[in-house]
Amino acid sequence: MRRSATHVHILLLMAIILPAAIGAQENEGGNEFITFTFENDFFVGEDNGYTNGMGLSFSKGPYRKFSRDNLPEWLFSLTSNLYINTMENKQRGVSHSFFQVMQTPEDISTSDLIPNDLPYAGLLGWQGTLYAWDDEVADQLALTLGAVGPVSLAEQSQSLIHELFEADDPRGWDNQIDNEVVIKLEMQRIWSLYRADGSGERIDILGIGGAAIGNLESAARLGIAIRWGSGLTSSFPAFSLQPDRQVNPLSMTPEDDYYLFLGLGIGHVFNNILIQGNSDGNSHSLPLRRQQDQISGGAVWSLGRNAFVFQISSVSSPTTISDSRDLFGALGFTRLF
């Protein structure tokens, strides 16, 4: 049982909607980044249907304060008095991403509902992430807005991708969950727990804590990661156990740096609409696995204005009807302007 195309970002949609969503902004001295990501299980030698993801994110920073010059008016109004903007002696950054999520059962050859497998589900959304950090502590505050159901165009996207790659046509999208507006507010904090002194390659250990609330997903998570390499101090603010899905941490460093990382995350999930179905209870659903975990490892490096991520992740099944884990690899590329 797999999630087909865990994160597929619609590049054309972003090109059309992005200017209106992020507003006209002055650079105010900050750098600008564009990140392209590609995610697929062929990196780990698996072929359980077509599992693929790609995306594009736009990021700016660092700034001393968020303002109307570096945030759209509506987002600045919502966050101007929050901790992410009022903490003293912090640097700040922002990223905007549009994304599409597609989820299917393992068997996509039948048009019949498969009661004991993942629901057909699509999600189309925008995520804005605000960053604030110093040398020891980094905060991330993310707002996700979107919709699930046929309005997400997941059926059309997957059918097009499968046609291009001559893969089996998914036949069960008539059973997908219904249209519903979704929202998620997510907070994450990263602590530098240990950092080895000295020049050249170093080792550090990061602690990670976070929580999310919304009808899309509500969860509480903890994690720990160890890194070895260079540029560790300046790169930890944007660290994630899934670093291909946001700005590359080393895009913030002025030198050619690199590091290897290995991390573990555990969490308790209270609700997830992609597993439990629509809020009214009238769509296909499965019992949610409350305790979930993730193991990720990979390499991050920068060369001039370019930065790269390659990682492999193993995540637990999101439902109690299966104990199988999801294993996939990802490659990300960031360009500094």
Side-chain angles (χ1 to χ4, degrees):
M1 178 168 46
R2 301 282 302 196
R3 292 190 192 193
S4 182
T6 45
H7 274 68
V8 178
H9 297 60
I10 301 301
L11 306 184
L12 178 60
L13 179 68
M14 289 190 293
I16 296 173
I17 300 179
L18 183 66
I22 67 176
Q25 303 166 25
E26 298 177 11
N27 194 21
E28 203 186 66
N31 297 314
E32 296 182 351
F33 313 89
I34 292 180
T35 298
F36 173 79
T37 64
F38 178 72
E39 182 178 288
N40 201 300
D41 61 0
F42 81 78
F43 284 118
V44 292
E46 294 191 1
D47 187 21
N48 295 348
Y50 185 81
T51 306
N52 172 76
M54 54 186 167
L56 198 62
S57 299
F58 298 82
S59 310
K60 288 186 176 184
Y63 307 110
R64 284 297 176 184
K65 285 284 187 178
F66 294 120
S67 70
R68 291 178 175 85
D69 293 327
N70 50 53
L71 290 182
E73 174 66 31
W74 69 271
L75 187 56
F76 176 74
S77 298
L78 288 175
T79 59
S80 59
N81 295 319
L82 297 181
Y83 74 99
I84 200 75
N85 196 38
T86 59
M87 292 184 295
E88 298 293 334
N89 302 317
K90 299 284 186 176
Q91 296 190 75
R92 293 173 169 85
V94 58
S95 69
H96 300 270
S97 299
F98 286 87
F99 61 90
Q100 186 185 52
V101 173
M102 289 184 288
Q103 176 180 277
T104 68
E106 183 176 4
D107 183 5
I108 62 173
S109 64
T110 177
S111 59
D112 296 332
L113 176 68
I114 306 175
N116 60 346
D117 208 335
L118 288 174
Y120 277 87
L123 164 64
L124 187 65
W126 163 86
Q127 178 176 289
T129 305
L130 305 183
Y131 301 85
W133 70 92
D134 55 30
D135 288 345
E136 302 297 331
V137 178
D139 287 278
Q140 300 174 16
L141 178 64
L143 175 65
T144 301
L145 302 173
V148 297
V151 70
S152 71
L153 303 178
E155 176 182 3
Q156 292 83 349
S157 298
Q158 189 180 48
S159 296
L160 175 60
I161 293 172
H162 280 221
E163 181 179 353
L164 291 174
F165 287 87
E166 298 182 349
D168 293 338
D169 184 39
R171 300 180 181 276
W173 277 103
D174 286 345
N175 304 306
Q176 70 176 300
I177 64 176
D178 298 328
N179 289 330
E180 184 174 341
V181 174
V182 294
I183 184 172
K184 180 173 74 170
L185 181 64
E186 186 170 10
M187 297 173 287
Q188 179 172 274
R189 172 163 286 185
I190 303 171
W191 295 269
S192 179
L193 301 178
Y194 170 81
R195 186 178 295 143
D197 296 327
S199 60
E201 287 76 15
R202 301 182 181 185
I203 293 176
D204 73 355
I205 298 175
L206 304 179
I208 307 166
I213 186 170
N215 66 331
L216 174 58
E217 182 195 46
S218 299
R221 295 184 172 94
L222 293 172
I224 192 167
I226 183 170
R227 303 187 300 165
W228 174 86
S230 59
L232 301 183
T233 302
S234 55
S235 65
F236 93 96
F239 181 80
S240 170
L241 291 179
Q242 202 65 43
D244 66 294
R245 295 180 182 172
Q246 52 183 303
V247 61
N248 187 311
L250 283 180
S251 61
M252 296 184 179
T253 67
E255 307 294 338
D256 292 346
D257 291 309
Y258 70 92
Y259 66 80
L260 306 178
F261 74 92
L262 179 65
L264 168 66
I266 58 174
H268 184 91
V269 182
F270 299 96
N271 61 277
N272 185 327
I273 197 170
L274 299 181
I275 306 302
Q276 296 173 299
N278 296 107
S279 301
D280 60 14
N282 291 329
S283 63
H284 180 201
S285 64
L286 290 179
L288 180 67
R289 182 182 299 275
R290 304 290 181 178
Q291 284 71 43
Q292 299 183 18
D293 67 82
Q294 173 177 343
I295 302 170
S296 293
V300 184
W301 67 100
S302 63
L303 296 171
R305 291 179 175 268
N306 303 312
F308 307 86
V309 172
F310 178 75
Q311 61 144 94
I312 293 176
S313 294
S314 172
V315 297
S316 56
S317 170
T319 174
T320 57
I321 68 170
S322 172
D323 292 325
S324 64
R325 300 183 66 85
D326 192 10
L327 184 66
F328 60 90
L331 180 67
F333 167 73
T334 295
R335 174 70 176 178
L336 167 65
F337 292 92

